[in-house]
Amino acid sequence: MSASLRKQMLQRAAASSVPSPSLSSTSSSAPSPTSSASSPAIASPEHPTADTLFMSWARGFDSQHIVSVSEERSFRVFHAGSAPLDLNPAVFVLVHGAGQSALSWTLVAAMLRSTAHLIAVDMRGHGMTRAYPEHDLSLTTLVADLLAVVHATCNVAWIGEAVRSAQSGGSSPPTQEQKKDTHIDTLSSATTSHPACTATSELDSSSSPSSTSSPSDAELPVVFVGHSLGGSVATHAAQHSSMKTRAKGLVMVDLVEGTALASIPFLRTFLSERPKVFSCLDEAFQWHVAHSIPKSLSSATISVPALLVSEPENGSLTWRTNLEQSEPHWKGWFVGLSNKFLDGSLPKLLILAGTDRLDTDLTRGQMQGKFQLVLKPECGHMIQEDAPEAIAEALLSFFTRYRLDGAPLPALLRM
């Protein structure tokens, strides 16, 4: 299929799958809660408004879920996709960067959800996830968290139920009565009823994924896609021993070891100078756009609300993630990343905003053909938000080139 035809198909997919951000939008509900009665209550952050969050994730994802992998770890996971699993069993696992959230992938999901299955997870200490201790953002912990979520969700039973639930019709936006409660309701064994911000599924996944032999629980192949810090987490997860037969591809978005390590002093300065408090969402949107994180106001209105929490005293907005507290882990996130990315035989794609960001190891690896390189020089660091169509097209092209799951190509590509 020609590049121009693929682009036309993506444009049509985007036009048909991204609803306008109005209160008449609807969201698909997820599977019924099946949590363990012994699960403890885990308080969730209070984000700006129920309406805002509903309109954010519903623009690209079909459902949201709570995935409980242990008593201390409950992750907010978003799912998109309706394609039959016999056409495209591979699941794209989307991992966000430090201080961001799963909603940074919303527009990419909107482009691909008619063609592929995608899950995006709020990492520990981010977005609407509650996992303790929250300050433990070490690479080892983040990789373990991601692998636990992948084992819990990337299987025929979980994906199939999410699709059936979405196709059955979903929940509506919050009513006026429900809007009075702007909390992301407590994650507990009890079923909550807030359709915009509560879990649409709470699953106890503490048991080993290999403990059942049911065909409906068959594990699905996965393609890891990570942005910034998420690229490092995705790289280490994809090459973990438990993913030896399941990982089919690896994509890093705007992450290079040398550049990341050199940027650490600038990150300290940036964090010390950024606002500590915003008076309202509009102020937060404008600040993010002014600093090109992301460049587009329309993208910022989707991703920024999940980065903030409301102060109960005065309603002002502060940062959800304490990045300053994570400084002991910054260097460990990136040291040895280039060699780790180049290691192994997985098909790999690196998407960058410019070739000047390649370090020595990656430059050598690119000359040796160890990975595919896509450049988007017109974008800032948040490439997936600045150019979601380009990212979606790159992922489809990557899929086409390597036939990542060995299955027939998705309908969008079979022409």
Side-chain angles (χ1 to χ4, degrees):
M1 182 175 67
S2 68
S4 62
L5 182 55
R6 185 185 297 115
K7 185 173 183 179
Q8 292 173 17
M9 294 295 291
L10 279 167
Q11 290 172 336
R12 289 201 294 270
S16 63
S17 62
V18 183
S20 60
S22 67
L23 291 182
S24 62
S25 300
T26 59
S27 166
S28 300
S29 60
S32 301
T34 57
S35 61
S36 168
S38 62
S39 299
I42 304 179
S44 290
E46 183 178 336
H47 288 271
T49 69
D51 288 344
T52 302
L53 287 174
F54 174 82
M55 290 187 291
S56 293
W57 70 260
R59 291 193 65 188
F61 294 100
D62 297 315
S63 56
Q64 61 168 340
H65 313 256
I66 294 172
V67 177
S68 298
V69 300
S70 71
E71 290 188 350
E72 296 80 20
R73 296 184 295 165
S74 292
F75 296 91
R76 190 68 57 128
V77 177
F78 300 88
H79 169 261
S82 57
L85 290 174
D86 58 347
L87 288 180
N88 181 15
V91 179
F92 287 94
V93 177
L94 309 176
V95 192
H96 65 79
Q100 298 297 314
S101 84
L103 298 188
S104 66
W105 292 103
T106 301
L107 294 178
V108 173
M111 299 282 179
L112 294 175
R113 64 180 174 183
S114 64
T115 300
H117 289 276
L118 310 95
I119 67 164
V121 56
D122 283 338
M123 293 197 295
R124 175 188 299 252
H126 293 74
M128 292 180 278
T129 279
R130 291 315 250 178
Y132 296 97
E134 282 220 322
H135 65 270
D136 182 7
L137 298 184
S138 65
L139 182 61
T140 299
T141 296
L142 296 178
V143 171
D145 287 345
L146 180 61
L147 288 171
V149 171
V150 169
H151 284 304
T153 61
C154 296
N155 57 72
V156 171
W158 196 94
I159 296 292
E161 183 61 26
V163 171
R164 286 190 292 273
S165 178
Q167 291 175 341
S168 67
S171 59
S172 300
T175 64
Q176 290 298 322
E177 187 66 25
Q178 290 165 333
K179 290 176 190 175
K180 295 177 182 178
D181 179 12
T182 59
H183 283 76
I184 307 304
D185 292 332
T186 300
L187 312 188
S188 67
S189 58
T191 302
T192 53
S193 60
H194 200 308
C197 294
T198 59
T200 50
S201 172
E202 187 169 353
L203 307 175
D204 182 3
S205 308
S206 56
S207 60
S208 169
S210 60
S211 62
T212 176
S213 58
S214 171
S216 65
D217 292 331
E219 296 178 332
L220 295 170
V222 295
V223 179
F224 288 93
V225 185
H227 169 255
S228 197
L229 167 60
S232 181
V233 176
T235 296
H236 285 79
Q239 300 193 27
H240 190 268
S241 58
S242 66
M243 290 288 111
K244 186 174 182 179
T245 60
R246 296 187 63 190
K248 301 302 180 182
L250 171 61
V251 182
M252 281 204 316
V253 181
D254 213 43
L255 176 61
V256 170
E257 176 186 347
T259 303
L261 291 174
S263 299
I264 286 178
F266 301 98
L267 178 57
R268 293 191 188 99
T269 302
F270 172 78
L271 292 178
S272 67
E273 294 179 350
R274 72 176 182 173
K276 305 299 182 186
V277 176
F278 296 103
S279 61
C280 62
L281 277 174
D282 283 344
E283 184 181 341
F285 296 152
Q286 295 299 331
W287 182 87
H288 279 81
V289 173
H291 290 80
S292 298
I293 46 177
K295 289 185 173 184
S296 164
L297 179 59
S298 60
S299 294
T301 58
I302 294 173
S303 61
V304 169
L307 311 184
L308 305 168
V309 291
S310 301
E311 290 292 337
E313 299 83 12
N314 54 23
S316 63
L317 305 175
T318 58
W319 299 104
R320 162 69 177 95
T321 304
N322 189 336
L323 284 178
E324 292 88 345
Q325 194 175 41
S326 69
E327 183 172 358
H329 305 299
W330 291 353
K331 187 175 180 181
W333 289 343
F334 307 116
V335 169
L337 175 61
S338 291
N339 285 329
K340 187 72 173 178
F341 178 71
L342 295 171
D343 192 26
S345 58
L346 275 181
K348 303 176 185 74
L349 169 64
L350 179 62
I351 305 174
L352 297 177
T355 54
D356 58 312
R357 305 190 187 190
L358 283 178
D359 58 21
T360 302
D361 291 329
L362 289 180
T363 299
R364 186 182 302 115
Q366 201 255 333
M367 294 175 65
Q368 295 171 347
K370 291 189 175 181
F371 62 90
Q372 180 184 349
L373 178 65
V374 171
L375 301 177
K376 298 303 298 178
E378 72 278 12
C379 294
H381 181 52
M382 303 300 296
I383 300 179
Q384 75 274 31
E385 295 190 66
D386 293 341
E389 182 180 318
I391 296 296
E393 185 173 1
L395 291 177
L396 287 179
S397 177
F398 184 58
F399 186 101
T400 306
R401 180 175 181 178
Y402 292 105
R403 300 293 294 272
L404 296 179
D405 56 14
L409 290 177
L412 185 60
L413 302 178
R414 287 187 283 109
M415 53 175 50

